[in-house]
Amino acid sequence: MFNFVISYFGFLKFVPGLPQVFDIWLKLHTYFVRPRVLDRVDEIELELKRWEQVRITAHKYGGLQFNYGDKEIGHIHGNGLLDMLFGRKVKEQLLMDGRVQDHHLFKNSGWISFYIRNAADGAYAIELLELRYSRLRAKPLSK
């Protein structure tokens, strides 16, 4: 459903407020179909709140966005889809490991997507976020 809407109605993301409404719908759907996914998202949010200099904001296309300084660590949509940007080499390694997939829109980039479905996926999502976070921390923060 998510991929269908993004593929055929993705242009609607430019309508102010509509991505947030869509994400609320995704979250409601997830609540009724796979409520444990939302528990995992809550656990991830709690974990990242503990990390130094991490801010959690609303993502411009719906969901939660995790930031270190002015850089995005990653974001999670209401259906448990984690999207993150890595360099292409790191992305290729992660793809070879077989747990992540190409980003649902930006296939020829460093973006990856990972669906959180269970507790093990929640733990792996935190590992991915930690990998990105550590890479961002190695660079000086922009002022």
Side-chain angles (χ1 to χ4, degrees):
M1 171 66 114
F2 178 81
N3 287 334
F4 175 81
V5 171
I6 297 305
S7 296
Y8 293 99
F9 300 102
F11 62 92
L12 293 174
K13 69 184 176 190
F14 299 110
V15 176
L18 199 53
Q20 289 74 23
V21 170
F22 177 66
D23 198 69
I24 290 168
W25 178 85
L26 275 177
K27 205 172 218 177
L28 281 172
H29 179 266
T30 303
Y31 176 78
F32 289 110
V33 176
R34 297 177 309 166
R36 296 279 188 241
V37 168
L38 297 179
D39 293 339
R40 303 296 79 84
V41 172
D42 289 344
E43 291 166 2
I44 291 166
E45 181 181 5
L46 286 173
E47 174 63 25
L48 270 77
K49 280 182 178 179
R50 294 186 193 112
W51 294 3
E52 191 176 314
Q53 295 181 300
V54 170
R55 290 179 307 108
I56 300 172
T57 60
H59 186 264
K60 64 182 173 183
Y61 299 130
L64 292 176
Q65 180 170 315
F66 307 107
N67 303 295
Y68 175 71
D70 64 345
K71 300 290 184 192
E72 180 181 342
I73 300 169
H75 60 271
I76 301 178
H77 297 282
N79 60 348
L81 177 64
L82 171 66
D83 292 324
M84 300 179 63
L85 177 62
F86 288 102
R88 289 180 192 232
K89 288 181 183 178
V90 174
K91 176 186 176 175
E92 288 304 317
Q93 181 60 49
L94 291 169
L95 288 171
M96 283 195 297
D97 291 346
R99 296 193 66 187
V100 304
Q101 55 192 318
D102 270 329
H103 187 271
H104 51 276
L105 292 177
F106 306 120
K107 307 266 187 230
N108 297 318
S109 71
W111 282 94
I112 59 112
S113 290
F114 176 70
Y115 277 99
I116 301 163
R117 294 185 173 92
N118 54 45
D121 290 344
Y124 186 64
I126 291 172
E127 284 180 39
L128 290 170
L129 290 159
E130 215 166 6
L131 176 62
R132 172 82 170 132
Y133 174 68
S134 65
R135 291 167 120 7
L136 290 173
R137 285 191 67 176
K139 300 174 186 173
L141 275 175
S142 301
K143 302 269 179 185

